[in-house]
Amino acid sequence: ITALRDELSRAAERMEKDRLRAKDLKEAAQKRHAEELAANRKQHDQALKEQQTRFEEQLETYKTKLHELEHRRKQEGGDWNKEIAQAYEREQEMSNRVALLEDEKTVLLNQISTLQSQQVAL
C-alpha cells in the first residue's frame, strides 16, 4: 500500500508539474500571440497611414494638374477671343482703307476726265 501511495504521489507530482508546464506554455503562447497581434496591428496602421499619405499626395498632384489644365484652357480660350477681336479690328481697318481708296480712285478718275477734256479742248 505504501508503494502504491508513493507511486500515486509521484504520479500526482508529475501531473501537477505537467499541468503547470502546460499552463506556462499556454500563457507564453497567449502572450506571444498578443505581441504578434499588436505588432501586426501597428504594422497595418503604419502601412495604412503611408498609403493614405500617398493617396493624399496623389490627389493634390491631380488637383494641381487639373487646375493648370483649366488655367491653360482659359488662357487659350482668352487668346482665341483676342484673336477674333484682332481679326475684327483688322477687317474694320481694311474696310476703312478700301473706302479711302475708293474715294481716291473717284478723285483720280475725275482728274483724268478733266485732263482728257482739257486735252480735247486744246
Side-chain angles (χ1 to χ4, degrees):
I1 293 187
T2 307
L4 187 58
R5 189 176 359 151
D6 289 343
E7 187 179 332
L8 287 174
S9 180
R10 283 191 302 267
E13 288 174 8
R14 271 193 310 259
M15 287 176 63
E16 183 64 23
K17 285 180 185 178
D18 289 345
R19 188 187 65 77
L20 289 174
R21 191 174 341 120
K23 182 181 174 186
D24 290 342
L25 289 174
K26 181 180 175 185
E27 288 174 358
Q30 286 176 340
K31 184 178 179 183
R32 196 172 47 251
H33 176 72
E35 289 172 354
E36 288 175 1
L37 185 62
N40 286 340
R41 282 187 179 161
K42 185 177 180 182
Q43 184 181 11
H44 174 72
D45 290 343
Q46 182 66 30
L48 192 61
K49 285 179 184 178
E50 289 173 1
Q51 187 177 28
Q52 182 71 24
T53 303
R54 278 194 315 268
F55 287 157
E56 287 174 359
E57 289 172 356
Q58 194 174 30
L59 181 62
E60 286 301 317
T61 302
Y62 289 149
K63 283 181 180 180
T64 302
K65 286 180 181 179
L66 180 62
H67 180 69
E68 289 174 3
L69 289 172
E70 286 179 357
H71 183 69
R72 277 193 235 144
R73 184 190 57 78
K74 285 179 182 178
Q75 282 183 338
E76 289 173 1
D79 290 342
W80 179 254
N81 291 336
K82 286 179 185 177
E83 287 181 25
I84 290 174
Q86 290 172 350
Y88 179 74
E89 287 177 19
R90 286 193 303 267
E91 184 179 343
Q92 291 296 322
E93 290 173 6
M94 289 299 149
S95 295
N96 291 338
R97 285 177 95 187
V98 166
L100 288 174
L101 290 173
E102 288 290 331
D103 288 344
E104 188 176 340
K105 177 182 171 185
T106 304
V107 169
L108 290 174
L109 286 175
N110 284 338
Q111 287 178 352
I112 290 173
S113 179
T114 304
L115 289 173
Q116 285 176 346
S117 297
Q118 287 177 356
Q119 185 180 15
V120 170
L122 288 174

